[in-house]
Amino acid sequence: MTHAPRKIIIDTDPGQDDAVAILLALASPEDLTVLGITAVAGNVPLPLTAKNARIICELAGKPETLVFAGCDRPLKRKLVTAEHVHGKTGLDGPQLADPVMPLQAQHGVDFIIDTLRREPAHTVTLCPLGPLTNIAEAFRRAPDIVARVQQIVLMGGAYFEVGNITPAAEFNIYVDPEATEIVFRSGAPIVVMPLDVTHKALTTRARIEGFRAMGTEPGRMVAEWTDFFERFDMQKYGSEGAPLHDPCVIAYLIRPELFTGRHINVEIETQSELTLGMTVADWWGVTDRPANALFIGDLDAAGFYALLTERIARL
Ligand code: RIB
Ligand code: CA
């Protein structure tokens, strides 16, 4: 029995790994209908994430995709960016031409609100791949949309893997902890792809050469993005390759059976300077705090890369 494609909004701060996630989504029309892509400030400032999102859509051959600019800074804090990981453009690695396709005039937060109000309840999934500012702002401005969300599948947080931007916090959460708290306390059904699982989705030389060997522009770009992106993690963790964080979100929507996790309580540190942005995940059930998220801890990495390779090769 074939299912209708899931309707999704991708909220993103491209970022090389965001780019691979967006390519995977746009290469999978039988599974996913991308209603729109909303850019948020994160890895690099908003003008660049809004530009990069369009570069990626054109690379996928989907210039008709609706791309919106959302919030240019966190709800309450100064923006923290990650050029040290992603480079000055956010998509360092290959040389990229400026996009031709337009940026939509509507603000990304208004697009999220209008779409959730227009589409039938529980038929739209939100896929945040960066700081949760746009999602939280939409929930704040229009609390009525929270009950209409089908699911939120996000990349962010860490428990056993601890932090990657501070000893305690993962980057997406650290940039806007207040926004994250609003989302995790909203009551919307949440699936979390933390570093615990994304650090098991490592690129390898063979996997990257598999993308390059496709002989396509998207395949070459993915290889050159991961060549650039992996140097930071390999230097820091001594790992063989780079964790492809954000594509885990999209792969979960297409093949959830590749992932395993626990439905647990996750709280966000928003006060302490020492542990700001930490996702306090009650993995062992030592509190009576209500479960509010499916926290993913593991994946079938071979199956994940097989899916990624098969789909990217279509573009
Ligand atoms: O910590 C990894 C996350 O931060 C990924 O989403 C990456 O793109 C950056 O946004
Ligand atoms: Ca990201």
Side-chain angles (χ1 to χ4, degrees):
M1 198 260 278
T2 52
H3 294 279
R6 271 181 84 156
K7 291 180 284 186
I8 67 171
I9 294 173
I10 298 175
D11 188 72
T12 179
D13 65 335
Q16 291 88 347
D17 61 318
D18 303 68
V20 180
I22 294 168
L23 290 179
L24 175 57
L26 295 176
S28 307
E30 72 269 46
D31 299 298
L32 304 169
T33 298
V34 179
L35 298 178
I37 295 178
T38 49
V40 68
N43 284 320
V44 287
L46 180 68
L48 282 174
T49 58
K51 172 182 169 186
N52 292 345
R54 286 176 287 151
I55 288 173
I56 299 156
C57 290
E58 290 182 341
L59 176 66
K62 308 278 182 195
E64 69 282 6
T65 310
L66 300 179
V67 176
F68 303 81
C71 298
D72 64 0
R73 76 199 65 187
L75 295 183
K76 275 176 58 179
R77 297 173 183 276
K78 226 170 77 57
L79 177 62
V80 171
T81 52
E83 285 88 349
H84 61 292
V85 178
H86 299 274
K88 206 161 164 25
T89 70
L91 287 182
D92 280 25
Q95 286 303 315
L96 298 165
D98 286 351
V100 172
M101 66 181 278
L103 185 66
Q104 298 301 309
Q106 188 180 32
H107 191 287
V109 171
D110 293 326
F111 170 73
I112 292 169
I113 294 169
D114 292 355
T115 303
L116 280 166
R117 284 180 171 159
R118 182 191 67 241
E119 297 293 329
H122 313 128
T123 64
V124 176
T125 292
L126 303 178
C127 303
L129 309 179
L132 289 163
T133 315
N134 287 343
I135 311 301
E137 186 57 15
F139 285 5
R140 262 192 348 185
R141 281 198 217 164
D144 59 289
I145 66 172
V146 176
R148 302 180 65 82
V149 173
Q150 179 177 34
Q151 199 172 41
I152 300 174
V153 185
L154 66 91
M155 191 279 142
Y159 185 60
F160 294 103
E161 277 298 288
V162 293
N164 62 358
I165 187 79
T166 74
E170 176 278 327
F171 178 77
N172 288 341
I173 310 304
Y174 179 73
V175 170
D176 201 337
E178 285 75 18
T180 309
E181 185 173 61
I182 288 172
V183 172
F184 276 72
R185 291 195 171 167
S186 70
I190 297 174
V191 179
V192 184
M193 291 288 162
L195 298 180
D196 302 52
V197 64
T198 68
H199 278 188
K200 296 171 183 168
L202 294 178
T203 59
T204 63
R205 215 25 41 214
R207 286 167 174 164
I208 293 178
E209 290 319 314
F211 290 119
R212 211 184 310 275
M214 288 176 186
T216 63
E217 193 62 355
R220 180 175 74 83
M221 289 291 173
V222 169
E224 292 188 19
W225 278 329
T226 40
D227 279 342
F228 180 87
F229 177 68
E230 74 174 9
R231 84 216 185 291
F232 169 78
D233 288 86
M234 288 169 79
Q235 217 167 12
K236 176 174 177 180
Y237 297 104
S239 54
E240 187 206 346
L244 275 188
H245 307 287
D246 295 338
C248 288
V249 167
I250 305 302
Y252 176 83
L253 293 173
I254 299 170
R255 291 198 53 201
E257 70 278 8
L258 291 175
F259 299 85
T260 55
R262 287 184 187 178
H263 195 231
I264 59 172
N265 176 269
V266 179
E267 298 293 337
I268 313 301
E269 178 57 63
T270 59
Q271 305 303 316
S272 150
E273 283 310 305
L274 180 64
T275 56
L276 185 70
M278 182 175 182
T279 45
V280 182
D282 189 5
W283 182 265
W284 301 112
V286 296
T287 76
D288 54 3
R289 296 181 198 134
N292 59 347
L294 175 61
F295 198 81
I296 301 295
D298 206 354
L299 87 164
D300 165 359
F304 169 71
Y305 273 93
L307 173 68
L308 209 45
T309 306
E310 181 247 320
R311 295 293 165 98
I312 302 287
R314 292 177 171 184
L315 297 174

